[in-house]
Amino acid sequence: MMVPEGILLLLFVILTSSFTGLLEVQIKVPEVTETKEEGSSVTISCSYLKKENNLALLWFKDPDYDQHSETFNGTIVFSHRTERQQSPGYSNRVKYITNETSTSKINDWIQCNLSITDLQKTDSGNYGFRFIGSGINKYMSKYMSLEVTDNPCKVQVEPSELNNPLKESEEFTVNCSTFGSCLKYPEWLVHTSGQKEEWLSSSLTDVIIENEEEEGRKVTKLKLNVTWKDDKRILSCRPAQVQDSFQIRSITLSVEYGPKETTAQVSSDYVKEGDSVTLSCNSRGRNVSFSWFKKEKIEVSQQMSDLKLNNVKPEDSGEYYCEAKNKHGSMKSNIITIDVKYGPKGVTVKPLVRVEDLKEGDNLILKCSVNESNPLVTEFKWHYNNSMLQQTIDTLTISSVTADDSGSYYCQADNGIKKEKSNEITVSVKSCNVKLKACF
C-alpha cells in the first residue's frame, strides 16, 4: 500500500519534534572543539530564544536521549531545578552567565553562557544546553566539544587550608608544586616595598622562598614568621609567568593575637546639655570584648563596643577610654575628652551698696553673678522696669541716682548656648529736702 508523501512528512516532523522539541533553531551553541590545559578555565557561549517564562534550564556533559522516558540523561553540569541537581564534581567550579532580567520579554534571545574553572581531564566531553517548557516547548542545543589535556605546570598548594589558626611569631611554611616535567618553578605572589605586588620564585621582603625538587615535583617553598598583620592575608601561587587567573591557587592565613590598634572615637566633638553622643571603640583582633572607663578607671560599660550617652548633663564631662580584651591580651585606647556645653546657671543680682538706704545723689551698684557656665558668659544685659539698659558688663553702675531710678532691676547672662534671666531686685530711691535735712 502506498503512503501519501504528506503523511510521511508529518510523521517525520512528529518524531523529530519529540526528540529535540521544536524544529526551528531555539538555542545557539557553537559546534566547535576547544582544547584547554588542566587547571585552566573555559567559557562556552550560548543563547536561547525565550518562548515562555519559568523554563527549566540545564547544561549537560555527554547528553544521551532516552526515547522511553523522553528525557536526556548525562552528567548535569548546571541546573536551577531541585528535581535535577548538579553533579557534585562541578560544584564550586561552574558559573552560569545570563543577561536575563525582570524586563526580558518573550521572543528575546537570552544569554546562557557556561563557565567552568579548574578544569579536570575528566571534564573532556560534549556539552549541550537544554531548556524545558510546557508541552513541546523543549529543546537541546548542538554540542560544543571540550578536550582537556595534561598540564605538567598545574600548581598544587600544601596545605590547601589551615586546620588551626596560627599564632604570632610562629614560623609557617607552605609549599607550591608542579610536576617535575614543568620547565620552571611556580611563583608566589608577595608584597614588595611600597606594597607593590610581585610574582616571585626567590626570596624577598618578609618571606623566604626556596626552590627544591621532591618526589619528582618542582616545589617552591614560602616561609614567613607570622605577625598579627598576616591575619586574613592571602598567599597565592601560579605556574611561572602564566597570566590565566584561574590557574592561581591560594591559601588564606588565620592568625590569633591580642587586640591591636585599639582606638576610641566620639560621634561629635561639640556636645550640648541634653544632646545624645556615642563613643565607639574599634580594635583589630578575634573574639574581642570591650569595656568603657571614665577618668580614674571608673567602669561605665561592659561588653559593648559603643557607649551611648543620652540626654547628657554637665557631670558627664570628662575623659573616657575603652579597653579591648581577648584571651591573648588587652589594649587600652586613646583618651576622648567630652566637654558638655551648657547655659549659665545660678544667675543672680546682688547689690554692692545698701539699696534700703539709697538716697538721691548716691551711687547705685548692682552685680550680676553666675555660679557656673560653659563656655563663660560673654554678654550681660541689664533691664530696668522691663526696658533694656545700655550697659553690657556684669556690673551696673548708676551715678547720682534720682527718684526716677526707682524700680525693678534684673540681668540676663548669655554665653552663646543659652540666655538665662536673674532674680529681680527692687530699688527705692528716697527724695531728700535740703532745707529740712530729711529724706522721704
Side-chain angles (χ1 to χ4, degrees):
M1 182 176 86
M2 295 292 293
V3 178
E5 184 178 346
I7 298 295
L8 287 173
L9 180 58
L10 178 60
L11 288 172
F12 175 77
V13 169
I14 292 173
L15 289 172
T16 308
S17 298
S18 66
F19 178 75
T20 62
L22 303 173
L23 285 178
E24 61 179 309
V25 175
Q26 303 287 307
I27 305 174
K28 298 177 182 177
V29 170
E31 292 183 79
V32 296
T33 298
E34 284 203 37
T35 302
K36 294 286 184 177
E37 284 189 333
E38 189 179 11
S40 64
S41 64
V42 67
T43 297
I44 307 172
S45 62
C46 170
S47 61
Y48 69 92
L49 185 62
K50 181 177 180 178
K51 288 292 188 180
E52 61 180 279
N53 295 315
N54 300 318
L55 294 171
L57 307 176
L58 304 101
W59 270 97
F60 285 90
K61 172 179 165 284
D62 297 328
D64 180 50
Y65 186 73
D66 183 346
Q67 293 190 11
H68 178 71
S69 61
E70 296 185 349
T71 58
F72 277 91
N73 297 317
T75 303
I76 298 178
V77 180
F78 166 82
S79 171
H80 72 329
R81 293 295 179 94
T82 56
E83 61 268 21
R84 302 201 70 179
Q85 296 186 359
Q86 180 189 52
S87 170
Y90 286 93
S91 61
N92 302 319
R93 295 197 300 126
V94 164
K95 182 178 180 182
Y96 178 72
I97 305 169
T98 183
N99 59 355
E100 184 176 21
T101 66
S102 58
T103 60
S104 297
K105 302 180 180 62
I106 301 300
N107 292 324
D108 281 352
W109 280 93
I110 305 299
Q111 186 182 63
C112 49
N113 294 359
L114 181 74
S115 175
I116 309 173
T117 60
D118 191 17
L119 287 172
Q120 314 294 319
K121 292 188 68 176
T122 53
D123 294 332
S124 296
N126 297 316
Y127 288 79
F129 179 73
R130 169 83 161 163
F131 70 68
I132 303 172
S134 58
I136 65 168
N137 185 30
K138 56 185 70 173
Y139 199 87
M140 170 63 82
S141 72
K142 302 294 185 181
Y143 302 147
M144 177 270 192
S145 181
L146 175 65
E147 182 181 351
V148 182
T149 60
D150 286 326
N151 180 9
C153 296
K154 178 184 177 182
V155 296
Q156 179 179 332
V157 172
E158 293 180 347
S160 58
E161 60 183 21
L162 295 176
N163 294 323
N164 298 297
L166 302 169
K167 293 180 174 58
E168 282 192 278
S169 302
E170 181 178 341
E171 185 178 275
F172 176 66
T173 300
V174 59
N175 295 337
C176 182
S177 65
T178 65
F179 287 106
S181 56
C182 185
L183 297 179
K184 295 182 178 180
Y185 284 89
E187 300 170 328
W188 283 103
L189 178 65
V190 298
H191 292 282
T192 58
S193 58
Q195 292 302 298
K196 178 184 176 183
E197 292 183 339
E198 189 172 344
W199 290 98
L200 298 170
S201 56
S202 58
S203 298
L204 192 64
T205 65
D206 60 335
V207 299
I208 298 174
I209 297 177
E210 299 174 343
N211 294 327
E212 297 179 4
E213 291 209 18
E214 296 180 358
E215 299 178 354
R217 296 185 67 85
K218 280 187 168 66
V219 182
T220 302
K221 293 179 178 288
L222 185 149
K223 299 179 181 179
L224 74 159
N225 288 317
V226 176
T227 72
W228 68 271
K229 292 184 178 180
D230 290 317
D231 187 41
K232 298 181 181 178
R233 182 179 184 179
I234 299 175
L235 302 176
S236 299
C237 179
R238 72 175 185 186
Q241 300 176 353
V242 170
Q243 301 301 315
D244 183 359
S245 62
F246 289 105
Q247 295 204 46
I248 296 173
R249 299 293 177 267
S250 301
I251 181 173
T252 301
L253 302 186
S254 173
V255 183
E256 289 188 341
Y257 55 93
K260 307 288 185 184
E261 296 182 351
T262 303
T263 58
Q265 295 177 313
V266 62
S267 58
S268 175
D269 292 327
Y270 186 77
V271 183
K272 303 193 305 294
E273 185 176 14
D275 287 350
S276 294
V277 64
T278 301
L279 309 183
S280 300
C281 190
N282 295 292
S283 184
R284 295 276 298 270
R286 296 177 183 271
N287 302 317
V288 175
S289 62
F290 298 92
S291 298
W292 278 98
F293 300 89
K294 182 182 179 185
K295 292 185 177 178
E296 297 176 357
K297 204 163 183 175
I298 302 173
E299 191 165 10
V300 292
S301 176
Q302 274 190 331
Q303 308 302 323
M304 299 293 289
S305 60
D306 287 354
L307 172 64
K308 189 163 187 177
L309 304 176
N310 295 313
N311 192 24
V312 294
K313 299 175 177 59
E315 52 266 32
D316 291 320
S317 295
E319 295 181 340
Y320 293 78
Y321 67 91
C322 66
E323 184 177 58
K325 183 182 295 185
N326 65 12
K327 66 180 181 180
H328 301 288
S330 63
M331 184 180 183
K332 295 178 182 178
S333 73
N334 54 300
I335 291 176
I336 290 177
T337 300
I338 294 181
D339 184 20
V340 179
K341 309 295 183 183
Y342 54 92
K345 298 180 183 293
V347 181
T348 57
V349 171
K350 297 178 181 179
L352 299 184
V353 296
R354 288 179 59 83
V355 295
E356 300 88 351
D357 301 326
L358 203 62
K359 303 184 294 295
E360 285 183 323
D362 288 346
N363 293 333
L364 172 64
I365 305 175
L366 302 176
K367 174 79 171 180
C368 188
S369 298
V370 180
N371 282 348
E372 55 180 313
S373 175
N374 186 22
L376 296 175
V377 173
T378 55
E379 185 178 49
F380 295 88
K381 291 182 180 178
W382 287 94
H383 296 260
Y384 163 64
N385 291 339
N386 293 322
S387 297
M388 193 167 64
L389 301 176
Q390 295 299 315
Q391 294 196 37
T392 57
I393 58 175
D394 62 343
T395 303
L396 173 67
T397 302
I398 301 177
S399 302
S400 300
V401 296
T402 66
D404 291 338
D405 293 318
S406 298
S408 178
Y409 290 82
Y410 71 87
C411 69
Q412 188 180 62
D414 184 0
N415 70 347
I417 301 293
K418 187 180 179 182
K419 298 176 182 179
E420 189 68 22
K421 179 183 174 181
S422 73
N423 61 307
E424 294 188 10
I425 187 169
T426 300
V427 175
S428 179
V429 179
K430 297 178 180 179
S431 299
C432 297
N433 190 312
V434 177
K435 292 182 179 181
L436 296 177
K437 296 182 179 181
C439 294
F440 309 95

